[in-house]
Amino acid sequence: MASVLINVPKAVRKGDVIEIKTLISHPMETGFRSAPDGKLIPRDIIYRFVCTFEGVEIFAADLFPAISANPFIAFTMRAERSGTLTFRWLDDKGGAQVETARLDVQ
Amino acid sequence: MRSLILALCLMSLPAWAQAPKTSSFDLMKPETQAMQRDDASNPAMLWIAEGRTLWSEKAGASRKACADCHGDVGSLRGVAVRYPAFKATQHKVITLDQQIQICRVQEQKADPWALESRPVLALSALIGLQSRGLALLPATPAEASTLAQGRALYEERRGQMNLSCAQCHDDNAGKSLGGAVIPQGHPTGYPLYRLEWQDLGSVERRLRNCMVGVRSEPYPYGSPEMVALEVFLRDRAAGLPLETPAIRP
Protein backbone atom coordinates (compact mmCIF):
# COMPACT_ATOMS: atom_id res chain seq x y z
CA MET A 1 0.00 0.00 0.00
CA ALA A 2 2.36 2.67 1.08
CA SER A 3 5.52 3.63 2.85
CA VAL A 4 5.46 3.91 6.61
CA LEU A 5 7.69 5.47 9.25
CA ILE A 6 7.47 4.26 12.84
CA ASN A 7 9.38 5.76 15.72
CA VAL A 8 9.63 3.70 18.92
CA PRO A 9 11.98 5.08 21.59
CA LYS A 10 15.19 3.19 22.30
CA ALA A 11 16.65 2.77 25.80
CA VAL A 12 13.31 2.34 27.56
CA ARG A 13 13.18 1.42 31.25
CA LYS A 14 10.42 -0.65 32.84
CA GLY A 15 7.46 1.52 33.80
CA ASP A 16 8.35 4.41 31.45
CA VAL A 17 5.54 6.13 29.58
CA ILE A 18 6.78 6.25 26.01
CA GLU A 19 5.49 8.05 22.92
CA ILE A 20 5.16 6.09 19.69
CA LYS A 21 4.97 8.10 16.48
CA THR A 22 3.73 6.80 13.14
CA LEU A 23 3.53 8.34 9.69
CA ILE A 24 2.00 6.69 6.65
CA SER A 25 1.95 7.81 3.04
CA HIS A 26 -1.68 7.92 1.95
CA PRO A 27 -3.73 10.32 -0.25
CA MET A 28 -6.74 10.42 2.16
CA GLU A 29 -9.03 11.31 -0.74
CA THR A 30 -12.15 12.78 0.85
CA GLY A 31 -14.76 11.72 -1.73
CA PHE A 32 -15.98 15.32 -1.93
CA ARG A 33 -13.54 16.56 -4.56
CA SER A 34 -14.20 16.42 -8.27
CA ALA A 35 -11.72 15.56 -10.99
CA PRO A 36 -11.12 17.86 -14.00
CA ASP A 37 -13.87 15.96 -15.85
CA GLY A 38 -16.39 17.02 -13.19
CA LYS A 39 -16.93 13.57 -11.74
CA LEU A 40 -16.43 12.93 -8.05
CA ILE A 41 -13.17 11.23 -7.09
CA PRO A 42 -14.19 8.18 -5.04
CA ARG A 43 -13.42 8.30 -1.34
CA ASP A 44 -10.19 6.57 -0.37
CA ILE A 45 -9.21 7.17 3.22
CA ILE A 46 -7.64 5.16 6.00
CA TYR A 47 -10.68 4.61 8.19
CA ARG A 48 -9.07 2.73 11.05
CA PHE A 49 -5.72 2.44 12.76
CA VAL A 50 -4.98 -0.22 15.36
CA CYS A 51 -1.85 -0.88 17.37
CA THR A 52 -1.42 -4.09 19.33
CA PHE A 53 1.33 -5.12 21.73
CA GLU A 54 1.88 -8.89 21.84
CA GLY A 55 -1.67 -9.38 20.52
CA VAL A 56 -3.34 -6.99 22.98
CA GLU A 57 -4.88 -3.84 21.54
CA ILE A 58 -3.27 -0.80 23.15
CA PHE A 59 -4.46 1.98 20.83
CA ALA A 60 -7.04 2.35 18.08
CA ALA A 61 -8.44 5.28 16.15
CA ASP A 62 -11.24 5.85 13.65
CA LEU A 63 -10.27 8.31 10.93
CA PHE A 64 -12.63 10.53 8.90
CA PRO A 65 -12.50 12.40 5.58
CA ALA A 66 -11.38 15.69 7.17
CA ILE A 67 -8.04 14.17 8.19
CA SER A 68 -5.13 15.30 6.03
CA ALA A 69 -3.10 13.20 3.63
CA ASN A 70 -0.15 11.25 5.06
CA PRO A 71 -1.70 11.00 8.54
CA PHE A 72 0.62 11.29 11.54
CA ILE A 73 -0.60 9.36 14.57
CA ALA A 74 1.20 9.50 17.90
CA PHE A 75 0.15 7.89 21.17
CA THR A 76 1.62 6.85 24.48
CA MET A 77 1.90 3.54 26.31
CA ARG A 78 3.45 2.31 29.53
CA ALA A 79 6.38 0.01 28.79
CA GLU A 80 6.23 -2.96 31.16
CA ARG A 81 8.10 -5.60 29.15
CA SER A 82 9.81 -6.19 25.81
CA GLY A 83 7.73 -7.35 22.88
CA THR A 84 6.48 -6.72 19.39
CA LEU A 85 4.22 -3.85 18.42
CA THR A 86 1.97 -4.47 15.44
CA PHE A 87 0.50 -1.54 13.55
CA ARG A 88 -2.42 -1.87 11.12
CA TRP A 89 -3.88 0.79 8.87
CA LEU A 90 -7.11 -0.17 7.05
CA ASP A 91 -8.26 1.79 4.00
CA ASP A 92 -11.33 2.07 1.75
CA LYS A 93 -9.69 0.16 -1.08
CA GLY A 94 -9.68 -2.88 1.19
CA GLY A 95 -5.95 -2.67 1.74
CA ALA A 96 -4.35 -3.23 5.09
CA GLN A 97 -0.85 -2.00 5.76
CA VAL A 98 0.70 -4.06 8.53
CA GLU A 99 4.02 -3.18 10.10
CA THR A 100 5.79 -4.39 13.19
CA ALA A 101 8.34 -2.81 15.48
CA ARG A 102 10.30 -4.13 18.43
CA LEU A 103 10.03 -2.63 21.88
CA ASP A 104 13.00 -3.42 24.12
CA VAL A 105 12.61 -2.71 27.81
CA GLN A 106 15.82 -2.76 29.85
CA MET B 1 25.79 66.63 3.64
CA ARG B 2 27.49 63.31 4.35
CA SER B 3 24.49 62.08 6.34
CA LEU B 4 22.20 63.11 3.48
CA ILE B 5 24.23 61.01 1.03
CA LEU B 6 24.16 58.11 3.47
CA ALA B 7 20.39 58.46 3.83
CA LEU B 8 19.96 58.47 0.05
CA CYS B 9 22.14 55.36 -0.23
CA LEU B 10 20.04 53.58 2.36
CA MET B 11 16.82 54.58 0.62
CA SER B 12 17.96 53.06 -2.63
CA LEU B 13 18.64 49.72 -0.97
CA PRO B 14 15.84 47.18 -1.02
CA ALA B 15 14.10 46.66 2.31
CA TRP B 16 15.48 43.14 2.79
CA ALA B 17 19.02 44.40 2.43
CA GLN B 18 18.49 46.48 5.57
CA ALA B 19 16.58 43.88 7.53
CA PRO B 20 18.56 40.78 8.41
CA LYS B 21 17.88 37.80 6.15
CA THR B 22 15.49 35.39 7.80
CA SER B 23 14.00 32.09 6.80
CA SER B 24 10.20 31.85 6.76
CA PHE B 25 10.72 29.13 9.37
CA ASP B 26 10.78 32.00 11.88
CA LEU B 27 7.30 33.13 10.80
CA MET B 28 5.69 29.76 11.44
CA LYS B 29 3.64 28.82 14.48
CA PRO B 30 5.58 26.94 17.21
CA GLU B 31 3.58 23.76 16.43
CA THR B 32 4.64 23.84 12.78
CA GLN B 33 8.23 24.60 13.75
CA ALA B 34 8.19 21.60 16.09
CA MET B 35 6.91 19.45 13.23
CA GLN B 36 9.93 20.41 11.13
CA ARG B 37 12.44 20.01 13.97
CA ASP B 38 11.39 16.43 14.70
CA ASP B 39 12.14 14.10 11.79
CA ALA B 40 9.72 11.54 13.26
CA SER B 41 6.81 13.95 12.68
CA ASN B 42 7.95 15.42 9.35
CA PRO B 43 5.88 13.89 6.53
CA ALA B 44 8.65 14.74 4.05
CA MET B 45 10.60 11.89 5.62
CA LEU B 46 8.28 9.52 3.71
CA TRP B 47 9.83 10.87 0.50
CA ILE B 48 13.30 10.59 2.01
CA ALA B 49 12.63 6.91 2.71
CA GLU B 50 11.51 6.46 -0.92
CA GLY B 51 14.59 8.33 -2.08
CA ARG B 52 16.85 5.94 -0.18
CA THR B 53 15.21 2.98 -1.91
CA LEU B 54 15.60 4.63 -5.33
CA TRP B 55 19.22 5.53 -4.56
CA SER B 56 20.28 1.88 -4.41
CA GLU B 57 17.80 0.50 -6.96
CA LYS B 58 19.34 -0.64 -10.25
CA ALA B 59 17.41 0.81 -13.18
CA GLY B 60 17.46 1.23 -16.94
CA ALA B 61 19.39 -0.56 -19.69
CA SER B 62 22.72 -0.03 -17.93
CA ARG B 63 21.44 -1.68 -14.71
CA LYS B 64 23.12 0.98 -12.65
CA ALA B 65 21.90 2.51 -9.40
CA CYS B 66 22.72 6.03 -8.21
CA ALA B 67 24.92 4.35 -5.58
CA ASP B 68 27.02 2.60 -8.25
CA CYS B 69 28.46 5.94 -9.39
CA HIS B 70 28.09 8.14 -6.32
CA GLY B 71 28.54 5.61 -3.50
CA ASP B 72 26.87 6.54 -0.27
CA VAL B 73 24.44 9.44 -0.65
CA GLY B 74 26.37 11.21 2.13
CA SER B 75 29.08 11.90 -0.45
CA LEU B 76 26.71 14.48 -1.97
CA ARG B 77 26.93 16.73 1.09
CA GLY B 78 27.31 20.30 -0.15
CA VAL B 79 25.71 19.67 -3.54
CA ALA B 80 22.22 21.03 -2.88
CA VAL B 81 23.51 24.41 -1.63
CA ARG B 82 25.24 25.16 -4.96
CA TYR B 83 22.37 24.19 -7.29
CA PRO B 84 21.09 25.41 -9.75
CA ALA B 85 24.63 25.21 -11.10
CA PHE B 86 26.38 25.85 -14.40
CA LYS B 87 26.90 22.56 -16.21
CA ALA B 88 29.61 22.79 -18.85
CA THR B 89 28.37 19.74 -20.78
CA GLN B 90 24.91 21.32 -21.07
CA HIS B 91 26.29 24.84 -21.75
CA LYS B 92 23.75 26.22 -19.31
CA VAL B 93 22.64 26.42 -15.71
CA ILE B 94 20.51 23.49 -14.58
CA THR B 95 18.61 22.63 -11.42
CA LEU B 96 19.30 19.65 -9.20
CA ASP B 97 16.07 18.04 -10.40
CA GLN B 98 17.22 18.43 -14.02
CA GLN B 99 20.55 16.86 -13.06
CA ILE B 100 18.64 13.89 -11.64
CA GLN B 101 16.79 13.61 -14.96
CA ILE B 102 20.08 13.75 -16.88
CA CYS B 103 21.62 11.00 -14.72
CA ARG B 104 18.49 8.92 -15.19
CA VAL B 105 18.61 9.12 -18.98
CA GLN B 106 22.35 9.32 -19.74
CA GLU B 107 23.84 7.12 -17.04
CA GLN B 108 21.06 4.68 -16.18
CA LYS B 109 19.68 4.69 -19.76
CA ALA B 110 16.20 4.51 -18.28
CA ASP B 111 12.91 6.19 -19.16
CA PRO B 112 12.98 9.84 -18.14
CA TRP B 113 11.07 11.03 -15.09
CA ALA B 114 8.97 14.17 -15.37
CA LEU B 115 9.93 17.17 -13.27
CA GLU B 116 7.83 17.39 -10.10
CA SER B 117 7.15 13.65 -10.26
CA ARG B 118 7.37 11.69 -7.03
CA PRO B 119 10.71 9.94 -7.72
CA VAL B 120 12.46 13.17 -8.73
CA LEU B 121 11.20 14.92 -5.59
CA ALA B 122 12.17 11.93 -3.44
CA LEU B 123 15.77 11.90 -4.73
CA SER B 124 15.99 15.68 -4.68
CA ALA B 125 14.84 15.72 -1.03
CA LEU B 126 17.29 12.97 -0.11
CA ILE B 127 20.20 14.84 -1.73
CA GLY B 128 19.03 18.08 -0.11
CA LEU B 129 18.94 16.43 3.31
CA GLN B 130 22.67 15.65 3.04
CA SER B 131 23.41 19.40 3.02
CA ARG B 132 21.03 20.32 5.84
CA GLY B 133 22.57 23.07 7.94
CA LEU B 134 25.07 24.19 5.29
CA ALA B 135 24.86 27.77 4.05
CA LEU B 136 23.39 28.44 0.60
CA LEU B 137 26.16 29.60 -1.74
CA PRO B 138 26.18 32.77 -3.85
CA ALA B 139 26.15 32.53 -7.64
CA THR B 140 29.48 31.73 -9.30
CA PRO B 141 30.96 33.81 -12.18
CA ALA B 142 29.80 31.13 -14.65
CA GLU B 143 26.23 31.72 -13.46
CA ALA B 144 26.46 35.53 -13.75
CA SER B 145 24.35 35.95 -16.89
CA THR B 146 21.66 33.62 -15.55
CA LEU B 147 21.75 35.51 -12.27
CA ALA B 148 21.21 38.80 -14.11
CA GLN B 149 18.29 37.31 -16.02
CA GLY B 150 16.82 36.04 -12.76
CA ARG B 151 17.16 39.43 -11.11
CA ALA B 152 15.42 41.09 -14.06
CA LEU B 153 12.55 38.57 -13.87
CA TYR B 154 12.31 39.09 -10.11
CA GLU B 155 11.98 42.84 -10.54
CA GLU B 156 9.68 42.70 -13.59
CA ARG B 157 6.02 43.50 -13.05
CA ARG B 158 3.76 40.74 -14.28
CA GLY B 159 0.16 39.58 -14.52
CA GLN B 160 -3.18 41.33 -14.23
CA MET B 161 -2.16 42.63 -10.81
CA ASN B 162 0.98 44.13 -12.35
CA LEU B 163 3.15 43.11 -9.40
CA SER B 164 6.77 42.06 -9.33
CA CYS B 165 8.23 39.57 -6.85
CA ALA B 166 10.30 42.41 -5.39
CA GLN B 167 7.28 44.55 -4.58
CA CYS B 168 6.06 42.00 -2.04
CA HIS B 169 9.19 40.17 -0.93
CA ASP B 170 11.63 43.11 -0.83
CA ASP B 171 9.55 46.25 -0.31
CA ASN B 172 6.84 44.79 1.93
CA ALA B 173 8.39 41.72 3.55
CA GLY B 174 7.37 41.44 7.18
CA LYS B 175 4.07 43.23 6.62
CA SER B 176 0.72 41.47 6.38
CA LEU B 177 -1.09 40.25 3.30
CA GLY B 178 -4.51 39.23 4.52
CA GLY B 179 -3.90 37.11 7.56
CA ALA B 180 -0.39 36.03 6.60
CA VAL B 181 2.97 37.73 7.04
CA ILE B 182 4.77 38.31 3.73
CA PRO B 183 8.00 36.32 3.96
CA GLN B 184 11.32 37.47 2.52
CA GLY B 185 10.96 34.53 0.16
CA HIS B 186 14.26 32.72 0.66
CA PRO B 187 14.19 29.19 -0.79
CA THR B 188 15.90 27.54 2.18
CA GLY B 189 13.97 24.31 2.54
CA TYR B 190 13.06 22.94 -0.89
CA PRO B 191 11.79 20.46 -1.79
CA LEU B 192 9.49 20.98 1.17
CA TYR B 193 6.27 19.61 2.57
CA ARG B 194 3.57 22.23 2.36
CA LEU B 195 0.60 21.57 4.62
CA GLU B 196 -1.66 23.41 2.17
CA TRP B 197 -0.59 21.06 -0.64
CA GLN B 198 -0.52 17.99 1.65
CA ASP B 199 2.39 17.10 -0.57
CA LEU B 200 6.08 17.62 -1.20
CA GLY B 201 6.85 20.25 -3.83
CA SER B 202 9.80 22.00 -5.44
CA VAL B 203 10.57 25.71 -5.37
CA GLU B 204 9.25 25.83 -8.95
CA ARG B 205 5.83 24.69 -7.75
CA ARG B 206 5.91 27.47 -5.14
CA LEU B 207 6.95 30.06 -7.73
CA ARG B 208 4.10 28.96 -9.98
CA ASN B 209 1.77 29.49 -6.99
CA CYS B 210 2.93 33.09 -6.67
CA MET B 211 2.66 33.68 -10.44
CA VAL B 212 -0.93 32.43 -10.47
CA GLY B 213 -1.53 34.59 -7.39
CA VAL B 214 -0.71 37.77 -9.30
CA ARG B 215 -2.77 36.45 -12.26
CA SER B 216 0.15 35.91 -14.59
CA GLU B 217 0.96 32.97 -16.85
CA PRO B 218 3.23 30.67 -14.81
CA TYR B 219 6.45 29.50 -16.45
CA PRO B 220 6.62 25.76 -17.16
CA TYR B 221 8.66 23.47 -14.90
CA GLY B 222 12.32 23.52 -15.86
CA SER B 223 11.98 26.52 -18.19
CA PRO B 224 15.01 28.85 -18.50
CA GLU B 225 13.06 31.58 -16.70
CA MET B 226 12.40 29.28 -13.72
CA VAL B 227 16.06 28.27 -13.53
CA ALA B 228 17.16 31.92 -13.73
CA LEU B 229 14.78 32.88 -10.91
CA GLU B 230 16.09 30.01 -8.80
CA VAL B 231 19.71 31.09 -9.30
CA PHE B 232 18.80 34.63 -8.30
CA LEU B 233 16.87 33.45 -5.24
CA ARG B 234 19.74 31.22 -4.13
CA ASP B 235 22.20 34.09 -4.51
CA ARG B 236 19.83 36.40 -2.64
CA ALA B 237 19.50 33.86 0.20
CA ALA B 238 23.24 33.09 0.31
CA GLY B 239 24.44 32.46 3.84
CA LEU B 240 21.15 31.12 5.20
CA PRO B 241 21.31 27.47 6.25
CA LEU B 242 19.55 24.84 4.17
CA GLU B 243 16.58 23.24 5.99
CA THR B 244 15.63 20.57 3.46
CA PRO B 245 13.15 18.95 3.79
CA ALA B 246 11.30 21.81 5.47
CA ILE B 247 7.65 22.17 6.45
CA ARG B 248 5.63 25.23 5.52
CA PRO B 249 1.99 25.97 6.36
Side-chain angles (χ1 to χ4, degrees):
Chain A
M1 189 161 94
S3 64
V4 170
L5 295 176
I6 295 168
N7 189 278
V8 179
K10 310 259 184 293
V12 177
R13 282 167 312 183
K14 188 171 155 58
D16 279 358
V17 175
I18 56 167
E19 186 176 33
I20 295 162
K21 298 172 185 171
T22 68
L23 254 175
I24 183 165
S25 169
H26 198 279
M28 295 294 277
E29 188 57 59
T30 60
F32 298 119
R33 299 196 311 159
S34 48
D37 62 5
K39 294 193 183 117
L40 278 184
I41 306 171
R43 192 183 105 155
D44 176 22
I45 66 166
I46 292 170
Y47 62 87
R48 190 160 174 81
F49 169 76
V50 183
C51 177
T52 57
F53 177 70
E54 294 289 313
V56 181
E57 185 175 305
I58 56 164
F59 180 85
D62 290 325
L63 286 80
F64 296 91
I67 292 171
S68 73
N70 310 316
F72 169 72
I73 301 174
F75 54 93
T76 54
M77 70 175 286
R78 189 186 302 279
E80 293 292 355
R81 59 195 167 99
S82 299
T84 306
L85 289 153
T86 307
F87 304 85
R88 294 176 74 218
W89 291 261
L90 307 174
D91 82 357
D92 284 337
K93 288 200 168 151
Q97 178 84 9
V98 183
E99 298 284 332
T100 57
R102 188 75 201 152
L103 172 65
D104 286 312
V105 177
Q106 288 155 3
Chain B
M1 186 62 195
R2 193 185 290 165
S3 63
L4 182 69
I5 292 168
L6 185 69
L8 283 172
C9 287
L10 280 175
M11 273 164 63
S12 65
L13 284 170
W16 61 266
Q18 296 164 37
K21 279 186 212 177
T22 55
S23 159
S24 4
F25 177 84
D26 303 329
L27 302 176
M28 301 199 299
K29 285 193 283 188
E31 303 93 289
T32 323
Q33 290 183 342
M35 202 172 167
Q36 179 176 325
R37 282 201 191 95
D38 177 12
D39 284 349
S41 70
N42 184 343
M45 288 299 156
L46 293 165
W47 277 260
I48 299 285
E50 267 186 54
R52 282 192 205 285
T53 311
L54 289 168
W55 184 260
S56 48
E57 196 174 81
K58 294 191 186 298
S62 68
R63 305 306 301 156
K64 271 202 272 187
C66 308
D68 292 335
C69 290
H70 298 283
D72 185 75
V73 66
S75 67
L76 295 191
R77 183 169 167 80
V79 168
V81 291
R82 63 179 173 82
Y83 266 86
F86 181 77
K87 180 96 174 163
T89 50
Q90 301 284 321
H91 313 291
K92 62 175 181 182
V93 176
I94 59 166
T95 63
L96 183 57
D97 295 13
Q98 287 172 323
Q99 178 59 59
I100 293 168
Q101 285 184 310
I102 290 169
C103 277
R104 171 98 182 149
V105 174
Q106 292 186 355
E107 302 298 328
Q108 294 186 310
K109 311 223 183 309
D111 296 333
W113 282 323
L115 286 173
E116 213 62 18
S117 62
R118 205 171 161 103
V120 168
L121 289 173
L123 280 171
S124 179
L126 177 67
I127 296 166
L129 174 67
Q130 310 309 314
S131 304
R132 186 156 69 174
L134 296 181
L136 287 166
L137 298 176
T140 62
E143 293 152 17
S145 62
T146 316
L147 174 71
Q149 189 198 353
R151 186 189 306 276
L153 287 166
Y154 182 84
E155 289 167 353
E156 181 184 76
R157 286 167 171 259
R158 61 187 64 248
Q160 286 180 328
M161 292 192 174
N162 199 28
L163 283 168
S164 73
C165 312
Q167 281 176 297
C168 280
H169 297 288
D170 284 352
D171 301 347
N172 290 296
K175 296 182 193 162
S176 294
L177 177 67
V181 180
I182 303 173
Q184 292 179 6
H186 295 301
T188 49
Y190 288 94
L192 56 74
Y193 191 88
R194 203 169 167 78
L195 302 180
E196 180 195 323
W197 294 336
Q198 303 192 18
D199 200 2
L200 197 76
S202 71
V203 64
E204 296 189 7
R205 181 168 177 187
R206 186 64 191 84
L207 290 175
R208 285 168 60 91
N209 255 203
C210 259
M211 289 170 195
V212 171
V214 299
R215 315 275 187 270
S216 75
E217 176 83 30
Y219 296 119
Y221 287 114
S223 61
E225 291 87 355
M226 276 291 186
V227 178
L229 272 169
E230 283 170 72
V231 171
F232 171 70
L233 290 176
R234 190 194 91 218
D235 185 78
R236 182 174 169 267
L240 287 175
L242 194 74
E243 299 163 36
T244 305
I247 303 263
R248 291 293 180 267

